[in-house]
Amino acid sequence: MTDWLEERGTERLKAAGDLVAALRDAPLGDPTALELWNDVSLALADASSVASLLAAVHPDPDVVARAERIEIETSGFATDLHLDREVFDRLSALDPDALDDGGRRVLTDALRTFRRSGVDRDEETREQVRELDQQLTELGQRFSRVIREGRRTTRVTAEALAGLPADFVEAHPADADGYVEISTDYPDTHPFLAYAHDRDARLAVARTFYDLGHPDNDEVLRELLDLRHRRARLLDYEDWPSFDAEVKMIGSGPAIAEFVDRISDAAADAGRRDLGVLLERAAQDGVEEIDLASSRYYLEAVKREHHGVDAQQVRRYFAFDRVHDGLLAVTARLFGVTYERVEAPVWHEDVTSFDVLLDGEPLGRIHLDLHPRASKYNHAAQFTLVPGVRGRQLPEGVLVCNFPRGLMEHRDVVTLFHEFGHLMHHTLAGRQDWVRFSGVSTEWDFVEAPSQMLEEWAWDADVLRTFATDAEGEPIPADLVARMREAEEFGKAFLVRTQMFYAALSYYFHLERPADLAARMLELYDAYSLVRPLPDTHFYAGFGHLEGYSSGYYTYMWSLVIAKDLFSAFDPAALFAPEVATRYRDAVLAPGGSADAADLVADFLGRPYDTRAFEAWLGR
């Protein structure tokens, strides 16, 4: 894999340099300039993709360090490229009327990117942009590295495991002093906060988890926020959210705040009603408020006691291996593809690889890295390994998650379906002529919609019964799935308010750059979240989306509005109906970013998308 890093990273970056030189030498108005631009973009995408992935997942620290250096080099190369007046002049001299629709779209996009990079500014401004972009890349890496490598543990007594599933207890034996370590890895923290009866132990584990990244990331984040603001102001944008939102569906920074408040208001009454139910249940245990140490516990308690859904019992139907195979079978049927297991060079023995075929023809390759390990990226995401370009290279994508190896909770199954939606989008949209539009290269606030829609298949009883079986082979009962859905309806408005807190934090931190991050975080908790924070914790320091999504965490909910509308085209009684499934695949996923997302959705639905399906779901 180190050879792969050098070949796809260093060598492709060198090739990009040679292509830029050829582009500079092209005569003004020469239409081949746009083809050279595509070649440059492809070489750069190859280099940045492999570096970004291996920096997040490779177990060898030396390889990670090399990958991070290549990330910095590719970022610096991209900055220099978009500040290059000679390249800009070659592209500006092209006649848009002489290009086809794809050519005009990629040219328009390229020229906008150049201007957003400051290419048309004076040399002093361009130099400042260059320096800021390098600093921002390094700061982003530092912020992510602190989270990735900052794994912590909390020591609790063996008795504190009361309430946890038997396999969890078995996997956490007590030491000689009678204590157990609970790490900040998701398969440790999430079950503990959901099921451990011991309130004090939950509080200790929650404090550790919600303090991940502190204090190391506090100063990193302050500097990151300040430099992003300087970068935006340098190019005459009011602030970073305004700069960032310009190329998204939402269009402007202030529109983010309006959207966050609109969704928060829509969820307010139902959210407070949910909170009242949780408080009533918590009062039985002498607990007077719902905080980050108790919210999951009492959500599970209400689902178990009011709806007859015990998540620990539900787990017995979701053994990882069966879920893994079931996911492949479901998506193969839905999207009309087949998967063939292949042996491929990978970075860890846990990784499995599959070729994806459509009508017998190869579409691309996927790699699944689904279990936690030390220093690995600790959330769930799809990474690009190879961007696809028609006739040149097939796409390769990677699913990076942190699921248990044994029994999974249903929420993990939903997450797996969600992330696999990104992987299918990347693969199905990998046959573009222009690399800029390959894969999930749509507007960022649309990217989550196809994945959120695919979650619906993880909630359907008939779908689940094809792979969700217990140890005796009995499929999950349909009435249990119905109760699971009913239980999931409870608390959704409560959880929407939590999502709006995340969105508000990402927006207002970038807008205001508060001197006291912790104090401003607490104010935003009060304004948006119905869950009480834990005193002296610093959630923002471990909130990795502040690096990748910057001010745009709102995009998850924006996409969900569209996802609910997309799903309205499917018949819940026939989720695999080939006509609508094929039309969705070909109209929404396969085009990648070759058209505006709103146009893709309108083409599929036969009308512009609207909020009716989302509002019906929220009010149900």
Side-chain angles (χ1 to χ4, degrees), residues 15-26 36 40 77 84 86-87:
D18 294 338
L19 289 164
V20 169
L23 181 52
R24 288 197 196 102
D25 290 339
L36 282 169
V40 171
F77 185 100
D84 192 318
E86 290 187 64
V87 174

Side-chain angles (χ1 to χ4, degrees), residues 252-312:
S252 75
I256 298 175
E258 294 170 6
F259 176 75
V260 169
D261 286 343
R262 185 165 74 251
I263 298 298
S264 294
D265 290 345
D269 291 344
R272 292 191 182 97
R273 185 172 63 244
D274 295 342
L275 178 62
V277 175
L278 295 179
L279 285 169
E280 183 179 349
R281 173 60 183 84
Q284 298 176 23
D285 297 338
V287 175
E288 298 180 353
E289 67 175 10
I290 300 299
D291 60 19
L292 290 169
S294 61
S295 59
R296 296 185 192 197
Y297 181 79
Y298 287 110
L299 272 170
E300 291 299 331
V302 168
K303 291 179 180 182
R304 183 171 58 250
E305 297 164 12
H306 289 213
H307 300 280
V309 177
D310 185 341
Q312 293 192 44

Side-chain angles (χ1 to χ4, degrees), residues 79 82-83 114-133 230-237:
T79 297
H82 290 113
L83 289 170
F114 271 91
R115 294 188 180 98
R116 283 169 55 83
S117 299
V119 71
D120 52 353
R121 304 306 175 96
D122 58 70
E123 180 56 36
E124 181 181 356
T125 300
R126 294 202 301 273
E127 186 57 36
Q128 289 182 59
V129 169
R130 185 177 286 109
E131 292 175 2
L132 284 171
D133 281 353
R230 284 175 54 192
R231 173 73 160 75
R233 293 294 299 136
L234 197 59
L235 299 180
D236 299 326
Y237 291 85

Side-chain angles (χ1 to χ4, degrees), residues 211-222:
D211 227 25
L212 185 65
H214 175 76
D216 295 357
N217 263 346
D218 283 52
E219 192 53 44
V220 177
L221 180 56
R222 287 192 186 90

Side-chain angles (χ1 to χ4, degrees), residues 282-602:
Q284 298 176 23
D285 297 338
V287 175
E288 298 180 353
E289 67 175 10
I290 300 299
D291 60 19
L292 290 169
S294 61
S295 59
R296 296 185 192 197
Y297 181 79
Y298 287 110
L299 272 170
E300 291 299 331
V302 168
K303 291 179 180 182
R304 183 171 58 250
E305 297 164 12
H306 289 213
H307 300 280
V309 177
D310 185 341
Q312 293 192 44
Q313 293 302 312
V314 171
R315 290 169 71 248
R316 66 195 178 97
Y317 293 103
F318 295 112
F320 172 82
D321 289 342
R322 290 196 295 273
V323 172
H324 171 281
D325 294 346
L327 169 73
L328 295 180
V330 167
T331 52
R333 182 180 174 191
L334 179 64
F335 296 116
V337 301
T338 56
Y339 302 102
E340 292 184 356
R341 178 72 182 269
V342 294
E343 295 298 324
V346 291
W347 49 95
H348 193 272
E349 61 184 10
D350 281 348
V351 181
T352 55
S353 305
F354 298 84
D355 281 343
V356 186
L357 299 94
L358 178 64
D359 298 328
E361 294 295 320
L363 274 182
R365 178 170 291 177
I366 59 174
H367 307 274
L368 308 181
D369 186 353
L370 301 179
H371 303 299
R373 58 179 177 271
S375 300
K376 176 189 168 184
Y377 177 85
N378 66 344
H379 296 289
Q382 178 258 322
F383 285 76
T384 295
L385 179 56
V386 178
V389 175
R390 191 194 316 271
R392 302 182 64 172
Q393 58 186 40
L394 294 176
E396 294 190 44
V398 183
L399 209 57
V400 180
C401 300
N402 290 274
F403 298 124
R405 297 176 186 275
L407 298 179
M408 302 173 68
E409 295 195 23
H410 183 251
R411 67 163 61 95
D412 290 335
V413 178
V414 174
T415 298
L416 180 57
F417 270 71
H418 175 103
E419 298 301 341
F420 202 85
H422 289 304
L423 199 60
M424 292 309 299
H425 197 177
H426 170 75
T427 304
L428 289 166
R431 294 183 289 182
Q432 305 299 317
D433 295 322
W434 306 99
V435 67
R436 171 61 184 84
F437 304 137
S438 179
V440 295
S441 299
T442 65
E443 296 96 318
W444 203 327
D445 36 9
F446 176 72
V447 164
E448 298 295 334
S451 291
Q452 290 166 328
M453 198 191 75
L454 191 60
E455 293 177 20
E456 300 284 353
W457 277 256
W459 281 104
D460 183 82
D462 291 337
V463 172
L464 289 177
R465 285 169 63 83
T466 63
F467 65 85
T469 58
D470 62 16
E472 286 72 43
E474 287 297 316
I476 189 169
D479 70 305
L480 174 56
V481 178
R483 283 182 279 120
M484 288 163 57
R485 292 212 71 150
E486 183 181 277
E488 184 69 10
E489 293 294 309
F490 169 75
K492 66 185 174 187
F494 178 85
L495 296 174
V496 163
R497 288 295 297 255
T498 300
Q499 287 292 307
M500 290 301 92
F501 158 69
Y502 298 154
L505 185 139
S506 79
Y507 173 72
Y508 285 108
F509 268 29
H510 281 87
L511 181 72
E512 301 167 350
R513 306 171 327 281
D516 191 333
L517 297 172
R520 185 60 175 130
M521 177 191 71
L522 294 176
E523 291 173 355
L524 293 170
Y525 263 117
D526 286 340
Y528 294 98
S529 177
L530 299 176
V531 180
R532 300 303 307 150
L534 301 177
D536 301 320
T537 58
H538 306 81
F539 160 76
Y540 57 82
F543 187 27
H545 288 82
L546 287 175
E547 194 283 314
Y549 277 66
S550 70
S551 56
Y553 191 87
Y554 79 91
T555 58
Y556 280 95
M557 197 59 62
W558 182 279
S559 292
L560 186 60
V561 171
I562 300 174
K564 294 299 181 185
D565 207 11
L566 288 171
F567 187 63
S568 70
F570 287 81
D571 180 355
L575 288 182
F576 294 100
E579 188 277 330
V580 66
T582 301
R583 189 161 52 84
Y584 169 72
R585 181 194 72 193
D586 295 342
V588 178
L589 299 182
S594 62
D596 290 349
D599 293 336
L600 297 177
V601 174

